[in-house]
Amino acid sequence: REEGQPALSGGFCLGDPVYFVGRTQTLISGARAERGARGEVVGASRSLSPVGLAVRFPGNKESIDCYLTSLSHTPPPPLSQKDVVSFGSFRINDELYFTGKDYLVEARSGRRKALHGARGKVT
C-alpha cells in the first residue's frame, strides 16, 4: 500500500491483496470467484458501490465486483463438515446428470443448452 493512497470502501486500497471468503461463484461471463482465492483490489465496484470492490482473481480476464462481506485480508478457515452446504442429497462438488428434456437458455453471454444426460457439478 502506498503512503497517502486514498482508501476505498471498507478501508481497502488499490493493489491490496484480498481473499474471497464467500461461496464459490461462476458468473455468466465465465469469470469465477472461488472460496479462498487470493485476488487484488483493482478499484471501486461499478455495481456494488459503496458496499463492494472490483477484484481481479487469477484465471479471470476481467475484475469481479465483490461485496465487502465476501472479502478478507486473511484466508478463510477450512470448511468443517457441518459448514458444507447440501441440497437434498447433493453436496457441493458432487457430479450429477441432467435428466430433464433438452432445452435452450438465452443468456447475455450467448445461448446455453441443457441436454438430457449432460454431466454437471454442484457449485
Side-chain angles (χ1 to χ4, degrees):
R1 199 184 288 195
E2 292 182 27
E3 187 124 350
Q5 185 178 19
L8 299 167
S9 295
F12 291 95
C13 291
L14 286 175
D16 275 356
V18 292
Y19 292 88
F20 188 74
V21 296
R23 198 179 96 225
T24 297
Q25 298 179 34
T26 302
L27 306 179
I28 292 172
S29 68
R32 191 163 164 83
E34 289 191 34
R35 179 179 164 78
R38 185 175 188 261
E40 179 182 333
V41 175
V42 295
S45 166
R46 284 174 256 146
S47 63
L48 301 175
S49 189
V51 296
L53 295 171
V55 178
R56 176 155 298 133
F57 292 100
N60 293 335
K61 294 179 182 175
E62 57 201 37
S63 64
I64 296 176
D65 288 345
C66 299
Y67 284 103
L68 293 172
T69 56
S70 294
L71 300 173
S72 173
H73 286 288
T74 58
L79 290 175
S80 69
Q81 206 49 23
K82 69 180 176 86
D83 294 326
V84 176
V85 178
S86 65
F87 306 93
S89 62
F90 299 108
R91 299 176 70 94
I92 292 175
N93 292 324
D94 279 355
E95 287 191 2
L96 44 84
Y97 293 86
F98 180 63
T99 59
K101 291 183 178 180
D102 294 352
Y103 70 95
L104 182 65
V105 176
E106 296 288 338
R108 288 189 300 180
S109 62
R111 293 180 173 193
R112 302 207 181 220
K113 294 179 184 177
L115 301 175
H116 180 82
R119 187 172 69 179
K121 186 177 181 181
V122 178
T123 56

